[in-house]
Amino acid sequence: MKQGYAIAIAGAAAMLASPALAGERWLVYTGGEKPGRIFVVVDETYLDAVPFTEKTYKLETITVLENAKAPDWVSSNMIIDCDRNTLEEKLIQVSPRGGKLTTAPDQPAKQPTNAVGEALIAFACDMGPKNSEQRLAARKTDLTDRGWMYMGPVTTSDVTDLAWNSMWTDGKRPASTPRSAAELEREMESLNARRQKALAEAQAIAGEVVEADKRDQQRTAAIMAETEANGAIAKARKRREPAAVVRALEAWVTHGEAELVGSWGPPTSFEDRAGTRFLRYYKTGVMLGPDPSQGCGAGNMYVPDPNSKNGGMMCVAGGPPRSETPIECTASFELRGGMIVDYATKGTEVTYSWGGNGCAQLFGK
C-alpha cells in the first residue's frame, strides 16, 4: 500500500466515522488493475476464535469492487483455519449497484487462490490470537508494510465512499439507483440480524457440544466406577468361592439370562428385588469318603504288618464300607439388566484330608 494512499484513507476515515452499525474496520488489501480494482476491509469487532477448534478464527469482510459490471460490494463471514491454511466463506451478501441486497451460496473451505485470500488468512492468524490490549496496541502501530491499516469505526457505506474518494480518484464511480438512508439502514439491520442469528446458532451448537461432552464424561465416569466395582466383586468372589466353582461358573459372568436358562434349564427358584434378579439352582448328591479297600479288594483293608520290621502294611478281611455323605448346594446368579454380574454358592461343608466340599462337588470342575 502506498504511503500517500494510507494517509488519505486515514484522514477520510476520521471524517466519515459513524456510530450507526460501525465496526472496528481494518483495510487489509487494495490492488488490481483499473477498472478491476478491489478494496478489502475486515471488521475486527467480530474477529474471534471458533469454539472447539484449534487455531481457527471467524473474520467478517467487505470487498468493494470498481468494475461497473460487478456488484458495488460483497460481504461475508470467513472461517480461517490457520493450521490447514484454508478459508471457508459463509453468509455471503451481495449489494448490486442499486436495488436490494441479495445472497450467494456458501463456499467450502479451500486453499487461497489469490493475494486477497492470502491477506485475509495472514490477518486472521496474526490478529486472532491477540487479546484486547494487544489489538489496541496494533491499532496504534504502522502496519502499512504488511498492507494493513486501521480505519476506525466506519460503516459499510463509509467503506465504499473511502474506496472511491481516496483510492480510485482517477476513475468515475459507476451510476447506481439511489437508495434512501432508511432503505440502507433496513438492509444493514437485516444483515446484522442474519449475523446475530448465525452467531446464536453457532453458540447453541457449541452448547450442545458442551452438554454432549458432559454426558460423555458422566458415562465414562459411570463405566469406570462400574468397572472398578465389578473388579472388587470379582476379587471377593474368587476369595469366597472354591477354586473348582470359580473354574466352572466364572465364564457365565456378563452372559444373559436366556443363555443360562437355555443351558441349565429353568431355575429352582427366582427373586426380583430392587432392579436385581436372582436365579437359584439347587442340587443334591452324595460325597464318597476315602476308599479303605483301595488296593486290597472289596471288603478288605490295609493294617500294619506285625511281621514287618520296616513298618509295612498288610491287607486283611473285614474292612469297613466306604463312607457316603449326603451333600447339597445352591448356586445363586445375580442379574442386572438381564446380564449376570455375580454368583454365589452355599451348601454342605465336608472336608476330607484330600480336600473338597459339597458345592465344589456339585457345581465345580
Side-chain angles (χ1 to χ4, degrees):
M1 181 188 301
K2 295 181 180 179
Q3 189 68 23
Y5 283 154
I7 295 172
I9 292 171
M15 291 186 290
L16 289 172
S18 168
L21 295 175
E24 300 295 344
R25 314 281 186 176
W26 284 78
L27 174 63
V28 296
Y29 181 84
T30 179
E33 298 294 330
K34 182 181 179 180
R37 293 173 290 192
I38 62 174
F39 187 83
V40 183
V41 174
V42 302
D43 189 346
E44 183 198 313
T45 308
Y46 296 96
L47 174 56
D48 203 359
V50 176
F52 307 104
T53 61
E54 293 289 336
K55 298 181 181 178
T56 303
Y57 305 94
K58 178 172 68 68
L59 185 66
E60 294 205 355
T61 71
I62 296 176
T63 301
V64 182
L65 302 105
E66 179 188 25
N67 196 310
K69 296 181 180 179
D72 189 12
W73 54 265
V74 177
S75 70
S76 66
N77 280 9
M78 293 284 185
I79 306 300
I80 309 294
D81 187 326
C82 299
D83 277 341
R84 293 182 173 83
N85 195 47
T86 60
L87 63 168
E88 179 181 358
E89 197 169 8
K90 297 176 174 292
L91 293 175
I92 303 172
Q93 294 270 10
V94 179
S95 177
R97 300 189 186 278
K100 295 184 177 181
L101 291 175
T102 60
T103 61
D106 292 349
Q107 298 299 307
K110 59 183 179 181
Q111 300 281 330
T113 57
N114 52 39
V116 177
E118 293 171 356
L120 292 172
I121 291 176
F123 183 84
C125 297
D126 182 279
M127 201 69 66
K130 287 182 167 58
N131 59 32
S132 56
E133 292 182 358
Q134 291 170 326
R135 290 187 184 185
L136 183 60
R139 294 176 189 175
K140 300 175 182 179
T141 304
D142 182 4
L143 298 175
T144 52
D145 59 326
R146 301 193 65 178
W148 307 342
M149 191 192 70
Y150 176 64
M151 301 170 64
V154 295
T155 67
T156 301
S157 296
D158 294 338
V159 170
T160 57
D161 289 341
L162 282 170
W164 284 101
N165 297 335
S166 299
M167 293 294 292
W168 303 332
T169 55
D170 58 340
K172 182 178 180 182
R173 189 170 186 171
S176 62
T177 303
R179 284 177 284 172
S180 67
E183 287 178 314
L184 289 173
E185 185 174 353
R186 283 195 299 270
E187 289 179 7
M188 294 311 298
E189 286 176 352
S190 175
L191 172 60
N192 193 52
R194 283 189 72 214
R195 180 170 56 198
Q196 294 301 326
K197 180 181 179 182
L199 179 61
E201 290 174 351
Q203 289 173 337
I205 293 172
E208 290 175 2
V209 172
V210 170
E211 289 303 317
D213 285 346
K214 288 181 180 178
R215 289 193 295 271
D216 286 344
Q217 290 172 1
Q218 291 169 351
R219 282 195 294 269
T220 300
I223 291 171
M224 291 178 65
E226 184 177 359
T227 301
E228 184 176 355
N230 289 340
I233 291 172
K235 288 181 181 179
R237 181 168 62 240
K238 290 178 180 178
R239 288 194 298 267
R240 178 184 71 234
E241 301 295 331
V245 170
V246 172
R247 287 194 297 270
L249 303 188
E250 191 68 20
W252 283 108
V253 175
T254 72
H255 283 259
E257 177 178 348
E259 294 177 85
L260 179 65
V261 173
S263 177
W264 285 33
T268 307
S269 64
F270 66 89
E271 178 185 2
D272 292 315
R273 186 172 64 213
T276 302
R277 185 173 178 85
F278 296 90
L279 301 184
R280 299 187 178 97
Y281 288 85
Y282 175 75
K283 283 187 178 183
T284 61
V286 174
M287 179 179 284
L288 298 176
D291 186 359
S293 66
Q294 186 173 4
C296 288
N300 298 322
M301 65 178 178
Y302 271 119
V303 296
D305 184 354
N307 299 315
S308 174
K309 297 180 180 180
N310 301 319
M313 303 291 288
M314 62 182 292
C315 190
V316 299
R322 187 175 185 180
S323 66
E324 295 184 359
T325 303
I327 58 174
E328 62 179 359
C329 183
T330 298
S332 178
F333 292 89
E334 180 181 346
L335 297 93
R336 296 195 202 106
M339 184 179 72
I340 298 171
V341 296
D342 197 12
Y343 60 85
T345 60
K346 184 177 181 181
T348 307
E349 290 292 339
V350 178
T351 304
Y352 294 104
S353 58
W354 46 266
N357 67 26
C359 290
Q361 290 294 313
L362 293 171
F363 288 103
K365 70 176 181 180

